Amino acid sequence: MKRLTVKTIREAAPYQQLVAEHGSPLLVLDCDLLTQQYKKLSSALPGVELFYAIKSLPHPAAIDTLHQLGASFDIATSGEIELLREQRAEPRHTIHTHPIKRDRDIRDALRFGCTTFVIDNIYELEKFVDYRHRVGLLVRVSFPNPDSPVDLSRKFGCRPDEVEMLLQKANALGIHVKGLSFHAGSQCPDASNHVRAIEACGEIIHRYNEQSSRSMAILDIGGGFPVEYVGDTAEVDIDRFCAPIRAALATLPEHLHIIAEPGRYLSAPSMEAVSRVMGKARRGEQVWYYLDDGLYGSYSGQLFDHALYPLTVFSDHDEREAAVIAGPTCDSIDVIAEDVELPSLNIGDLVIGHQMGAYTSASATDFNLFERATIVAINRDTESDSATNLLHLAYR
Amino acid sequence: MKHYAETLYDSYGQEFRVDRLYFENKTDHQHLVIFENALFGRVMALDGVIQTTEADEFIYHEMLTHVPLLAHGNVKSVLIIGGGDGGILREVCKHTGVEEITQVEIDDQVVEMCKEYLPNHSAGAYDDPRVEIVIDDGANYVKNCDRQFDLIISDSTDPIGPAEVLFTEDFYGNCKSCLKPEGIMVTQNGVAYMQLDEVVNTALRFKPHFADRSFYSAAVPTYIGGIMTFAWGSDNPAARQQTLETIEERYQSAEIKTRYYNPAIHLASFALPQYIVEATQV
């Protein structure tokens, strides 16, 4: 995807309308797009129970939309539990996947009704002795992925050869381990690491079930399903991406319950950032545009998530000049895009950021006490007002 | 909400059809749900765990009340910890010899919602002039209490949540200080087959405080997984060893109507399966 697109002024109208109604900056969540993403992934992974990783976009409208589609939920904190409680999600369809927990985190989850937890070491296992009659655990196994922009295997996960020791210890403590989980990475270029991990976990589960009187019955294949950001050349075809995963899963015993924890794939394409130019300055050879949202706000993912978002501006002129798009805070690091060729923009003009659902507002800060972007959910149901339905967010 | 799935265990559980939802809310202390089910009538759940149903509550409330009351034989004062649904209070109030009843419940919303939606549980007992209701943490109450009671009944939720402190040795010790010399303390102690750790823990934690310790049991259908145990602690071993004749005589003179409890059940309820006997030899 390319960094910058210039559209005609006329095409800004639906965004102008939203800003007139809700102010700026905005993050516009299109629940139809979220639904489409969920359905695409569901059909690419038939028989796999999808637990939405709500950390990527912990917003009530997103939870509600996915809940109504029958999604399950992946939670990591008590705050996320409260969000699910408000949305009336069924606790039986939740898993707590934070590998490191305080006692009260475990208690909060149990009181909510979540009984599945993830561990990856002996200290964490021992925390469940008091709750052994109530819980079923997944052991998170680490499979390092050098090709993933976010390596999720360094901070968490045990080595495959440590699983057996943990299982023995769990049995000795009377704690039931019901399966394995892994995270192949984030934004994976292909499914090779998933396949490698599925095969290795399948082997561990097979060996354990042969040798033990107890059984592991769940394999959690994590997330890592990619979306397109700036610089990604090929369009993501999720069905093709998942084909090797389907093939690997087909070799596993039928009784094994397969689950996944998609976050980014569902939320990223579902939200756009709508910001306004609040000031401009000519500095040397470049024009600086200062937006009312930036790296400390919705664009925080450019720092934390290593994502570069496609941008759209609106102009009917053909001239371009070198420009910088900066955020509003006093920090000089707060620059969204440098060395871009822009048409001349006026103060008050709109700049749109695309693919901005995942790890954007989720990691925004209050730095400078600049107000965060307001999240506006559109297309929550087909009966919603026609004004917001005018906007179709699909970028392309 | 079309169904209510209890989340007490990971790999097993009971599910109710919700024929009508009366109340669902997160109170200051816990998540409270009250609904109607064709088989069990009105059902109350806290934090994902079934607490009581109209259909089978009599078993639990009668056994947690009449066994210690008639075993003691001369109870004048009762302290109820928890019991916000009012079922224990109703059973205690049946005994005309009881002069003072103090109930300490942490969650006033549970009391109010149960008065409204489970009125048959308390059956007007909250209006009995002998009753004093205190909204407080039960552990806090017994720690600072300078009164002494003939009987303490701990009718708590499971030990994950606000009731956690009601399963500690400190709490049992403080309760002991609030008991008269011949007094008895009983607690709900979970379904032993499913939660044997709770029985073992209570056996250990009662040990320093009570000369005579035991458990007794009853099967309550919606406390799934077999018999529910009640813990028993007292310094008067005779209370637990009353003859059938004595209990029969007290039951008759109390003139109470019961549906589960009777003198034969009273004596039989102290007979425990071998796995509980062995687990509680601490």
Side-chain angles (χ1 to χ4, degrees):
Chain A
M1 273 181 154
K2 57 179 182 169
R3 179 64 155 153
L4 192 84
T5 303
V6 181
K7 291 190 172 179
T8 63
I9 296 280
R10 196 172 54 83
E11 291 172 282
Y15 295 109
Q16 298 282 16
Q17 202 173 330
L18 278 168
V19 169
E21 198 176 335
H22 303 284
S24 170
L26 295 177
L27 281 164
V28 186
L29 169 64
D30 185 338
C31 298
D32 276 353
L33 285 180
L34 186 60
T35 300
Q36 280 175 32
Q37 290 298 104
Y38 180 78
K39 287 181 174 170
K40 275 197 271 183
L41 190 59
S42 292
S43 66
L45 292 171
V48 177
E49 185 177 358
L50 301 181
F51 289 74
Y52 170 54
I54 68 180
K55 62 178 170 292
S56 69
L57 176 59
H59 189 269
I63 306 292
D64 181 48
T65 301
L66 291 168
H67 182 214
Q68 298 201 23
L69 289 166
S72 300
F73 295 97
D74 158 20
I75 48 185
T77 67
S78 300
E80 293 178 356
I81 286 171
E82 288 314 308
L83 178 59
L84 284 188
R85 193 197 299 279
E86 284 159 19
Q87 296 305 310
R88 303 277 188 268
E90 292 92 5
R92 270 288 186 230
H93 295 284
T94 62
I95 54 174
H96 193 290
T97 59
H98 201 312
I100 306 293
K101 299 157 287 294
R102 290 163 294 193
D103 185 55
R104 75 174 159 89
D105 299 325
I106 299 171
R107 286 174 168 267
D108 286 347
L110 284 174
R111 292 183 60 190
F112 171 62
C114 175
T115 55
T116 300
F117 295 87
V118 171
I119 61 124
D120 65 4
N121 69 78
I122 219 118
Y123 305 110
E124 205 62 21
L125 177 66
E126 285 169 345
K127 292 178 184 173
F128 286 94
V129 169
D130 285 349
Y131 314 112
R132 59 187 179 173
H133 297 301
R134 295 194 63 166
V135 301
L137 303 186
L138 303 175
V139 172
R140 177 160 164 179
V141 194
S142 161
F143 296 94
N145 185 359
D147 297 331
S148 165
V150 183
D151 186 359
L152 295 173
S153 298
R154 193 170 77 93
K155 189 167 173 181
F156 301 120
C158 68
R159 293 194 316 267
D161 62 7
E162 292 173 317
V163 175
E164 195 178 327
M165 175 273 294
L166 283 170
L167 289 167
Q168 279 172 5
K169 180 77 177 170
N171 282 342
L173 293 172
I175 302 169
H176 181 51
V177 174
K178 60 181 179 178
L180 302 180
S181 79
F182 64 80
H183 280 263
S186 179
Q187 207 38 14
C188 294
D190 60 56
S192 56
N193 209 38
H194 287 88
V195 169
R196 192 159 66 91
I198 290 167
E199 286 170 354
C201 288
E203 181 56 33
I204 295 170
I205 291 171
H206 175 74
R207 210 165 47 230
Y208 178 76
N209 289 358
E210 289 280 297
Q211 289 167 3
S212 167
S213 58
R214 312 202 73 171
S215 300
M216 282 197 281
I218 295 176
L219 177 59
D220 177 352
I221 64 171
F225 310 104
V227 298
E228 294 157 56
Y229 292 118
V230 172
D232 294 324
T233 44
E235 201 175 298
V236 170
D237 178 342
I238 196 64
D239 191 67
R240 193 153 36 149
F241 178 91
C242 289
I245 297 178
R246 289 196 296 273
L249 293 177
T251 66
L252 298 175
E254 237 175 72
H255 76 272
L256 214 56
H257 180 47
I258 311 295
I259 67 178
E261 303 166 15
R264 177 192 312 280
Y265 180 79
L266 301 181
S267 59
S270 312
M271 200 150 82
E272 293 189 328
V274 182
S275 317
R276 230 168 2 182
V277 175
M278 58 182 231
K280 65 188 279 190
R282 190 167 291 279
R283 303 192 195 282
E285 296 300 303
Q286 292 190 307
V287 188
W288 282 64
Y289 294 105
Y290 300 90
L291 306 189
D292 52 9
D293 202 351
L295 287 207
Y296 284 92
S298 306
Y299 288 84
S300 60
Q302 286 194 191
L303 274 181
F304 295 125
D305 193 39
H306 317 285
L308 214 50
Y309 309 108
L311 305 172
T312 295
V313 297
F314 304 94
S315 172
D316 293 335
H317 298 286
D318 291 334
E319 305 85 54
R320 301 286 182 265
E321 55 188 339
V324 177
I325 302 175
T329 65
C330 301
D331 190 357
S332 56
I333 198 183
D334 189 5
V335 171
I336 297 169
E338 279 186 85
D339 300 321
V340 283
E341 295 288 314
L342 286 187
S344 178
L345 301 178
N346 295 314
I347 290 170
D349 281 359
L350 298 182
V351 176
I352 311 301
H354 307 277
Q355 304 287 83
M356 287 191 62
Y359 308 106
T360 52
S361 62
S363 53
T365 75
D366 294 315
F367 176 54
N368 259 185
L369 297 186
F370 235 97
E371 69 273 28
R372 295 180 183 211
T374 306
I375 298 180
V376 178
I378 62 168
N379 297 326
R380 279 195 80 161
D381 55 68
T382 47
E383 299 302 311
S384 65
D385 63 314
S386 54
T388 49
N389 272 330
L390 284 176
L391 183 70
H392 186 62
L393 284 175
Y395 174 73
R396 221 168 271 137
Chain B
M1 189 187 292
K2 295 186 179 73
H3 293 88
Y4 188 88
E6 186 176 51
T7 53
L8 195 46
Y9 310 109
D10 180 60
S11 59
Y12 168 78
Q14 60 181 336
E15 184 178 284
F16 295 79
R17 193 178 69 218
V18 175
D19 293 321
R20 182 169 167 188
L21 182 63
Y22 288 107
F23 187 81
E24 181 187 5
N25 194 27
K26 177 103 194 283
T27 73
D28 290 342
H29 301 280
Q30 47 210 338
H31 193 114
L32 168 65
V33 182
I34 301 174
F35 62 88
E36 173 85 22
N37 171 266
L39 203 51
F40 285 100
R42 294 186 182 188
V43 180
M44 192 259 279
L46 288 171
D47 286 345
V49 181
I50 301 300
Q51 299 301 311
T52 189
T53 85
E54 281 185 325
D56 69 357
E57 58 88 11
F58 68 97
I59 305 172
Y60 174 85
H61 291 127
E62 288 181 12
M63 288 301 282
L64 196 50
T65 304
H66 303 313
V67 173
L69 244 149
L70 294 176
H72 183 284
N74 189 29
V75 171
K76 301 284 183 207
S77 56
V78 179
L79 172 63
I80 303 169
I81 306 287
D85 58 44
I88 296 289
L89 192 62
R90 177 197 67 207
E91 293 302 314
V92 173
C93 285
K94 286 180 179 173
H95 294 264
T96 51
V98 174
E99 293 163 0
E100 298 173 328
I101 310 164
T102 301
Q103 176 166 358
V104 184
E105 164 64 51
I106 194 169
D107 195 338
D108 58 340
Q109 264 209 284
V110 170
V111 175
E112 290 312 311
M113 290 305 117
C114 289
K115 275 188 197 168
E116 184 168 353
Y117 296 111
L118 294 170
N120 298 330
H121 269 63
S122 50
Y126 281 113
D127 300 324
D128 191 303
R130 296 171 291 172
V131 175
E132 176 202 12
I133 303 296
V134 180
I135 299 299
D136 191 6
D137 176 348
N140 193 43
Y141 182 85
V142 294
K143 195 164 105 185
N144 301 311
C145 180
D146 49 12
R147 292 169 62 193
Q148 288 198 315
F149 300 86
D150 294 311
L151 170 63
I152 298 177
I153 300 176
S154 176
D155 175 18
S156 69
T157 57
D158 279 354
I160 297 174
E164 178 185 348
V165 288
L166 306 183
F167 289 85
T168 60
E169 198 189 310
D170 276 357
F171 172 68
Y172 299 141
N174 289 330
C175 282
K176 175 66 189 301
S177 331
C178 299
L179 271 185
K180 290 183 181 166
E182 302 281 291
I184 300 168
M185 172 167 191
V186 290
T187 71
Q188 85 81 5
N189 217 104
V191 173
Y193 185 81
M194 308 296 288
Q195 305 154 315
L196 197 60
D197 288 353
E198 282 185 33
V199 180
V200 175
N201 285 338
T202 304
L204 281 166
R205 292 165 191 173
F206 264 32
K207 197 172 178 177
H209 304 294
F210 299 104
D212 186 50
R213 308 170 300 277
S214 187
F215 293 87
Y216 65 106
S217 76
V220 183
T222 50
Y223 302 150
I224 53 166
I227 55 171
M228 142 150 280
T229 53
F230 308 100
W232 175 285
S234 177
D235 280 351
N236 175 22
R240 195 161 60 85
Q241 309 289 347
Q242 307 289 4
T243 62
L244 184 61
E245 292 69 31
T246 305
I247 298 296
E248 186 75 57
E249 189 194 308
R250 289 174 182 176
Y251 180 58
Q252 294 303 337
S253 61
E255 292 183 323
I256 52 171
K257 194 170 151 33
T258 55
R259 289 170 65 201
Y260 185 88
Y261 177 90
N262 61 37
I265 283 279
H266 178 126
L267 265 68
S269 69
F270 287 95
L272 296 171
Q274 191 60 16
Y275 72 90
I276 299 180
V277 171
E278 285 174 13
T280 54
Q281 280 169 352
V282 292

